[in-house]
Amino acid sequence: MASTNYNFLFFISTSILLVCCSPISFKPTQDDVGLANKKWTNVTIEQLNAGFKFYTAKCSGCHFLPVPNEYSEKRWLMILPEMSEKSKLSHEEYDLIQKYVITKSYAFTKKK
Ligand code: HEC
């Protein structure tokens, strides 16, 4: 059925557009700094921005960049050590990426 296929394609392209082109969900904000400091202390917007930069640079080579809030903090803590090995992250990169994704996982409610 051709119409079904078109719907499917529309769904896929819309999803890709939403993921690629929604700066709100990926870029750290001042609100995120507040969230981050509920868990850690003295986290700055610069640190979250650096985490975001490393995240996009190191985590999109093998698969699409995961949407941070697709996973809960608990899941990230299981996923990150494994992915860190794959990306050969330095200790600093690991720390910044972890702060970034866990903060972003708080910022939204959709979780699995
Ligand atoms: C060398 C390739 C490679 C790099 C670099 C890489 N990944 Fe992955 N990633 C994979 C593969 C392969 C899978 C699927 C199989 C698995 O879970 O091991 C995966 C799966 C995932 C998943 C889904 C896990 C799940 O259980 O659903 C997430 C989230 C993820 N990666 C995040 C990251 C993050 C964050 C980084 C950067 C720190 C990263 N990946 C870097 C190869 C990579």
Side-chain angles (χ1 to χ4, degrees), residues 15-109:
S15 311
I16 292 172
L17 269 178
L18 280 176
V19 171
C20 300
C21 311
S22 57
I24 311 139
S25 57
F26 277 88
K27 198 152 174 24
T29 63
Q30 210 56 50
D31 284 352
D32 295 333
V33 176
L35 287 171
N37 281 306
K38 288 194 172 140
K39 181 173 172 67
W40 298 281
T41 45
N42 304 323
V43 179
T44 62
I45 188 80
E46 285 77 19
Q47 283 178 322
L48 293 181
N49 279 329
F52 173 53
K53 197 188 79 192
F54 288 133
Y55 182 64
T56 51
K58 302 275 177 175
C59 307
S60 60
C62 303
H63 43 62
F64 282 117
L65 194 63
V67 182
N69 65 305
E70 285 279 312
Y71 303 92
S72 63
E73 174 177 0
K74 205 169 140 218
R75 293 268 280 126
W76 273 121
L77 290 175
M78 295 190 298
I79 293 166
L80 280 176
E82 189 192 333
M83 291 302 142
S84 168
E85 245 172 69
K86 290 190 195 290
S87 323
K88 311 215 172 5
L89 299 182
S90 70
H91 183 76
E92 196 207 353
E93 290 165 344
Y94 185 95
D95 185 60
L96 290 169
I97 289 175
Q98 172 168 289
K99 285 197 170 81
Y100 168 75
V101 289
I102 289 177
T103 300
K104 277 299 186 187
S105 86
Y106 295 155
F108 301 92
T109 48

